[in-house]
Amino acid sequence: MSQQTTIRKLAELVNTPVEKLLEQLAEAGMKFSGPDQVITSAEKLKLHGFLRRAHGKADKPADEAIAPGKITLSRSRKQEITVGGSGKTGRTGGSTIEVVTRKKITLKPGAGQGPSAADMDAERADALRKLEESRARNLAEQQALAEKDRQRAEELADIRRREQEDAERAAAEAAANAEVALEEAGKTKTHGHGHAHPKPSAPAREADKGGAHKGKTAHRGSHVMQTGVEDDDSTARFAGQLHLSASDRARRSSAPRGGRGKPARRSMDQSRTGTGFNKPVAPMVREIAIGDAITVGDLAQKLALKGGEVVKALFKMGVMATITQTIDHDTAVLVTEELGHKAVHADAGDAESELLAHAEEVQGEKTQRPPVVTIMGHVDHGKTSLLDYIRRTKVATGEAGGITQHIGAYHVTTPKGTISFLDTPGHAAFTHMRQRGARLTDIVVLVVAADDGVMPQTAEAIQHAKAAKVPLIVAINKIDKSDADPSRVKNDLLAHEVVAEEFGGDVQMVELSAKTGQGVDNLLDAISLQAEMLDLQAVREGRATGVVIESALDKGRGPVATVLVQQGNLSKGDYLVCGIQYGRVRALFDETGNQVQSAGPSIPVQILGLSGVPEAGDDFVVVADERLAKDVAQQRDTKRREMRLVASAGNRMEDIMAQMGEGASQLALNLVVKADVHGTMQALREALTGLSNDQIRINVIGSGVGGITESDAQLAMTSKATVIGFNVRADASARKVIEGNGIDLRYFSIIYDVIDQVKQVASNVLGKEIREEIIGIAEVRDVFRSSKFGAVAGCMVVEGVVKKSKPIRVLRDSVVIFEGELESLRRFKENVDEVRVNTECGIGVKAYNDVKPGDQIECFERIEVQRTL
Ligand SMILES: Nc1nc2c(ncn2[C@@H]2O[C@H](COP(=O)(O)OP(=O)(O)OP(=O)(O)O)[C@@H](O)[C@H]2O)c(=O)[nH]1
């Protein structure tokens, strides 16, 4: 506005009549003489303010413009900026500031309209001040965060250091396994080395780049101060720092401390590539095979753990075991799973299945085979005499003197066919059957002395035969004796459901005398007849299978075993597996001691050539070659040893329990059993352990064939066992230990005596128990009350005898309501010590006055009873 404005010109400009303008100016308090008078800018503004007010609008700038000297016209722009440490407003307390920027024009009277040098007004200064404050606040926050990050980084570094140590330890432990694994995989160590420092993976590289945070900043663009409002570089950079991500900050703050700050990251990458011995990212789960038993040490080795760790885990499970101790399969599986690994059952092995495949090959035409007979009966009823008679008269034909040797079994040839007898204790025959789940005996001959009748062991034999579903033939022996009464025997047997044919049953009964031989042929006929009815068949050709009946170690000939062939044909030169032994049949002998070339089904034969002494009851199988025989035998040996370890571990445990007197209410009686032959030893072991019940457990902790040795005596001493010698004696050194330590040693030659005596010993161990016995019951008929005696019950003794000195119980409706003792017991007015059945009496109960008619007073006593098996 370089030109001066007149009122007329202004009226034209604002399009208002000049008169009206003059009026308005007059109203605004400005007097003008005419329209050509000049109007100043101040006057213009005054008019403008007047007019706004007149229209009801307040105009602050206009008011301010009233200030003398200058008029400022302004155009404003609002802008919001957010400031805060990480951009996460909520966490760091960042704030939003409203910045108002104005374009200002200050008009000075006569000074034209261009922008003045003092563009910055008070508001702007205020906004900048606030911004400065905010910056300062954020800087403080930044520093606090940096401090926190530094602490956190230190913690992380600490954790990583510990992990690294753990990893190194794990690596050392895994070294052995890894070597094996590497060998298996055909990898060389250099291969592993080449990957020891792999390049970081793509994402890792990207994350490592310095620009990582930039990308994030860009992503958070809404938080960045926009340029153009304030061209402030420092603020822009500052804002960039504010928006660093937490991870970036952590890395940035840890970087200077950790050198290059990357070892942890590198190790992660290595583990991902699967090279080097770094701590695995997930726990390593091993799958291990466990047999029937394993020592704690072996298990730890399989799991690549320290023995102590497995012991500790077992302890937590309530199993106390040392590293050398054996644990059974189930416990081993449990602890393996507890330790986070997997367990599978160790396969029995291919050799055994191969063996089975071979065994199945023994197929062919089946033909009639001889019956296998076991003789059983009560002691002294004549079993041995009968067997001897048959052997003497029917075996060894053609041999001078007919001397036969005892090999545990023999066969006789009768006009009606061959019969094989098992010359082992009846128990043993059935033990074998139970063990193998197969029939070893076809027929049981039950010997009953005609003069003695049915006795306990007769009944026991009947039970055995019935349980095994083996048919019976009864030999009524000693009929030569004057007091023989065969019909009484037959009648007695009826009570055991053994019914003679003549009574309409199906059991053949033969009267005979083992002494004179009378009727023995009839018995053989009866056996042949029974065998025919049973239609016993077997394959005669092919590889033989069967069972060991007896075994021993012969000083001159080595291990000898009497086997009963069940299928096929056993020949000299055959390879066989026999229990855990194997070998090639060097020679076969029959019961007369003659060498034979082969033996068919149901024929017992003694063999030489085994690697060791098999156990009675072991099976044998002829196999194609020695290798297979050896493999199977060794596998079985391992398995059996494992089982023994478990059994002995169990024994040890029970001993400990018994000694501690806690954890088991069951008592234990330990025995060491030695016998002359395997069959007897096995029969004894079975029979004795079978005596165990809830209260006592009979442990045969040691058993074997042969004399009692010093080691047997030592075993007995350490486990406080009783030594049983069956047809064997203790040698000098064993006797010394036995006598010196007071070990209980007993010799026997009759199985039943052993059982009886063990029962007695067990009873002593069991001790006595206190039992209560009710000796009398009195019924309350009436109750009298006296000040002197209290309540006195008028009673009738309905059972037994009521004694003053014995404890009593008061019963109401068959429920005990009081237990105590008697205060008084009277017959009429007299005090008595006892009152018998069907007698009236007066009873005063001590400390109890609530007796009512209808109650029962039960009198009892406590007695000591010897516990028995
Ligand atoms: N008179 C007579 N005596 C017999 C007969 N059979 C056996 N004896 C006698 O009875 C006794 C016992 O006979 P063993 O054959 O030993 O009886 P066991 O049943 O084998 O006895 P253990 O082997 O001890 O169970 C012996 O003295 C025999 O001589 C018989 O038929 N008549």
Side-chain angles (χ1 to χ4, degrees), residues 657-685:
M657 295 286 223
Q659 278 161 22
M660 282 160 59
E662 60 181 34
S665 53
Q666 207 184 25
L667 294 161
L669 172 63
N670 294 335
L671 301 171
V672 173
V673 180
K674 294 299 291 276
D676 54 344
V677 284
H678 248 301
T680 315
M681 189 268 290
Q682 274 202 328
L684 275 172
R685 205 165 56 188

Side-chain angles (χ1 to χ4, degrees), residues 52-101:
R52 279 185 71 90
R53 270 194 302 279
H55 290 102
K57 286 181 187 170
D59 192 337
K60 201 179 168 200
D63 286 345
E64 282 169 5
I66 293 168
K70 64 177 179 180
I71 300 163
T72 304
L73 295 177
S74 65
R75 202 169 60 206
S76 66
R77 240 175 101 186
K78 278 186 188 173
Q79 189 81 37
E80 282 187 353
I81 60 163
T82 304
V83 289
S86 66
K88 287 181 185 171
T89 311
R91 211 194 98 198
T92 60
S95 56
T96 304
I97 302 164
E98 193 179 88
V99 179
V100 182
T101 318

Side-chain angles (χ1 to χ4, degrees), residues 378-386 477-481 512-515 750:
H378 193 73
V379 62
D380 280 352
H381 277 204
K383 299 181 290 288
T384 314
S385 302
L386 178 60
N477 193 26
K478 304 192 188 182
I479 52 157
D480 59 291
K481 286 181 100 172
L512 53 84
S513 166
K515 194 175 180 183
I750 294 165

